[in-house]
Amino acid sequence: MSVSVASVSRLLRCSLSSVGRSTSGGVRWSSTRLDVDGSGRPATWDSFGIWDNRIEEPILLPPSIRYGTPIPQISLSKVGCASHIGRRRDNEDRFQTSRLTHDILFFALFDGHGGPQAADFCHKHMEQHIRDCLEVETDLQAVVSKAFLQVDAALAAELQMYGNASLMMVGTTATVALLRDGIELVVGSVGDSRALLCRKGKVRKLTDDHTPERKDEKHRIRQSGGFVTWNSVGQANVNGRLAMTRSIGDFDLKKSGVIAEPETTRTLLHHAHDSFLVLTTDGINFIMTNEEICDVINQCHDPTEAANVIAEQALQYGSEDNSTAIVVPFGAWGKHQNGEYTYNMSRNFASIGRWS
């Protein structure tokens, strides 16, 4: 059964009368799903024709009433994750998914370089720093920004205790997504791990890579006394060492303009049109375009399959790096499953020859 947004909004408002009340007369939210068709059966998101029987999740009633549109519950059990070592000796990628509060979910990717220490530290401490910031701050963009800077400072303090100069050169990317009430999506990022949103079958970038090729980033590096060089394959590097201009760690380059302050975005989801959020490390991004990532995921049956297919596809295309992906399904998951996907056969043949 398909219901218009206006009808759903009226339905949600009317449903208040059927929600249990406390002894004091105030509204008490019930965990029971909304009874859409009067059948007495608890309603699922499928009842509104959005999930279309691909993923069964209940409606989040209070946020749906607050925003005037049906919002599905996003369960961590439905989120797909995959991390492949690729052709590296070690896997320095780290990923994390968790529920921070009753209404906020946490998704994070960390791609370490120079060693796993910085990525390990973020994996261990980022979540707690975000929790602490949430206790005093309601603006999720401010929460993410503060947490990144706090984690960077805490990592510096820990590494300095070892007195090992080489540890000052370890670092990591960080891409963190917070989802509140199933509809408010805030993403913060440093480095070149990415966050992409698939809306109406098309890719929408939620992050921009922090590379020395960006004019604004290059300007800050040079203003801070650093310099940019290009290696033999044409990749720009800060001080001839680092291919990114923002990171957590890399303390030997802080005076050269490498910062840990993230760029953040805030997006209100439209579950009738938004299929998924995907976070990827550069083992995938370096070899696959954003459109390819979106198209491949749209062909997959579930998020777990999607995460694994993306990571494996990058390796088949010739990626030498660790490949990690997190796929978070939204209301329109599977809606664009029949969309066209252009398979790059020539590139695949080239990669087969390269690694045979």
Side-chain angles (χ1 to χ4, degrees), residues 124-179:
K124 183 177 180 180
H125 297 286
M126 180 66 80
E127 178 181 343
Q128 187 57 52
H129 278 277
I130 289 180
R131 288 181 185 274
D132 293 343
C133 291
L134 284 171
E135 294 181 358
V136 297
E137 178 65 66
T138 58
D139 184 333
L140 294 186
Q141 287 180 280
V143 166
V144 171
S145 294
K146 291 178 180 179
F148 272 51
L149 295 175
Q150 289 175 4
V151 169
D152 188 64
L155 175 61
E158 174 159 308
L159 294 182
Q160 286 171 357
M161 292 192 312
Y162 294 101
N164 186 343
S166 64
L167 290 178
M168 295 296 104
M169 300 175 67
V170 302
T172 184
T173 71
T175 298
V176 170
L178 300 181
L179 180 62

Side-chain angles (χ1 to χ4, degrees), residues 9 74 144 221 232 257 310 323:
S9 180
I74 307 299
V144 171
I221 295 299
S232 59
I310 284 294
S323 300

Side-chain angles (χ1 to χ4, degrees), residues 96-100 104-108 126-127 130 176-178:
Q96 198 169 6
T97 67
S98 66
R99 179 175 294 277
L100 299 182
I104 299 179
L105 298 180
F106 167 79
F107 311 99
M126 180 66 80
E127 178 181 343
I130 289 180
V176 170
L178 300 181

Side-chain angles (χ1 to χ4, degrees), residues 1-19 29 33-39 41-45 47-49 59-62 64-66 68-70:
M1 179 179 69
S2 179
V3 183
S4 70
V5 171
S7 299
V8 170
S9 180
R10 289 195 297 273
L11 182 62
L12 291 172
R13 288 196 294 271
C14 291
S15 72
L16 280 171
S17 61
S18 65
V19 179
W29 300 117
R33 297 176 180 181
L34 194 62
D35 181 7
V36 177
D37 56 8
S39 64
R41 296 190 301 271
T44 69
W45 190 241
S47 303
F48 290 96
I59 296 290
L60 290 174
L61 185 55
S64 296
I65 294 173
R66 187 180 310 122
T69 183

Side-chain angles (χ1 to χ4, degrees), residues 42-346:
T44 69
W45 190 241
D46 293 341
S47 303
F48 290 96
I50 305 299
W51 285 110
D52 196 22
N53 296 318
R54 288 176 288 268
I55 292 181
E56 183 177 333
E57 291 287 5
I59 296 290
L60 290 174
L61 185 55
S64 296
I65 294 173
R66 187 180 310 122
Y67 286 93
T69 183
I71 302 171
Q73 172 180 297
I74 307 299
S75 300
L76 290 178
S77 62
K78 299 295 194 299
V79 176
C81 303
S83 186
H84 294 187
I85 191 171
R87 296 176 178 84
R88 293 293 181 89
R89 185 177 62 181
D90 301 302
N91 192 341
E92 296 181 349
D93 287 356
R94 302 292 183 267
F95 66 89
Q96 198 169 6
T97 67
S98 66
R99 179 175 294 277
L100 299 182
T101 66
H102 73 281
D103 61 345
I104 299 179
L105 298 180
F106 167 79
F107 311 99
L109 274 187
F110 310 106
D111 181 358
H113 50 261
Q117 293 88 347
D120 284 338
F121 189 88
C122 288
H123 182 265
K124 183 177 180 180
H125 297 286
M126 180 66 80
E127 178 181 343
Q128 187 57 52
H129 278 277
I130 289 180
R131 288 181 185 274
D132 293 343
C133 291
L134 284 171
E135 294 181 358
V136 297
E137 178 65 66
T138 58
D139 184 333
L140 294 186
Q141 287 180 280
V143 166
V144 171
S145 294
K146 291 178 180 179
F148 272 51
L149 295 175
Q150 289 175 4
V151 169
D152 188 64
L155 175 61
E158 174 159 308
L159 294 182
Q160 286 171 357
M161 292 192 312
Y162 294 101
N164 186 343
S166 64
L167 290 178
M168 295 296 104
M169 300 175 67
V170 302
T172 184
T173 71
T175 298
V176 170
L178 300 181
L179 180 62
R180 179 160 58 190
D181 288 333
I183 192 169
E184 182 187 2
L185 178 64
V186 168
V187 176
S189 180
V190 295
D192 54 13
S193 297
R194 292 181 189 170
L196 306 173
L197 175 67
C198 181
R199 174 168 289 179
K200 295 183 178 181
K202 304 297 182 181
V203 66
R204 179 177 177 182
K205 291 174 58 181
L206 301 181
T207 58
D208 287 311
D209 295 354
H210 297 122
T211 71
E213 295 176 342
R214 276 179 49 174
K215 290 183 178 180
D216 54 343
E217 296 293 297
K218 184 190 300 182
H219 177 73
R220 188 186 66 252
I221 295 299
R222 290 176 172 172
Q223 287 291 104
S224 301
F227 59 91
V228 177
T229 60
W230 283 260
N231 61 20
S232 59
V233 296
Q235 184 182 51
N237 287 272
V238 178
N239 289 11
R241 188 180 81 74
L242 187 65
M244 61 194 72
T245 53
R246 302 192 191 201
S247 68
I248 293 177
D250 295 301
F251 299 110
D252 62 313
L253 296 178
K254 294 301 188 192
K255 292 183 179 180
S256 297
V258 174
I259 61 176
E261 181 178 356
E263 289 186 305
T264 63
T265 60
R266 178 179 180 270
T267 305
L268 285 183
L269 299 178
H270 301 286
H271 284 280
H273 304 301
D274 295 338
S275 300
F276 56 84
L277 167 74
V278 57
L279 309 183
T280 55
T281 57
D282 71 336
I284 296 171
N285 307 331
F286 183 76
I287 205 74
M288 298 180 70
T289 67
N290 296 338
E291 290 75 16
E292 285 176 325
I293 293 171
C294 184
D295 289 345
V296 170
I297 293 176
N298 274 327
Q299 307 309 308
C300 296
H301 179 264
D302 59 66
T304 297
E305 176 191 2
N308 279 285
V309 168
I310 284 294
E312 291 171 357
Q313 188 69 69
L315 295 178
Q316 291 178 15
Y317 277 166
S319 175
E320 298 180 351
D321 204 351
N322 310 141
S323 300
T324 302
I326 299 175
V327 180
V328 184
F330 295 143
W333 172 266
K335 191 173 184 179
H336 305 282
Q337 200 165 21
N338 295 324
E340 295 182 0
Y341 166 55
T342 303
Y343 183 75
N344 194 326
M345 184 169 290
S346 62

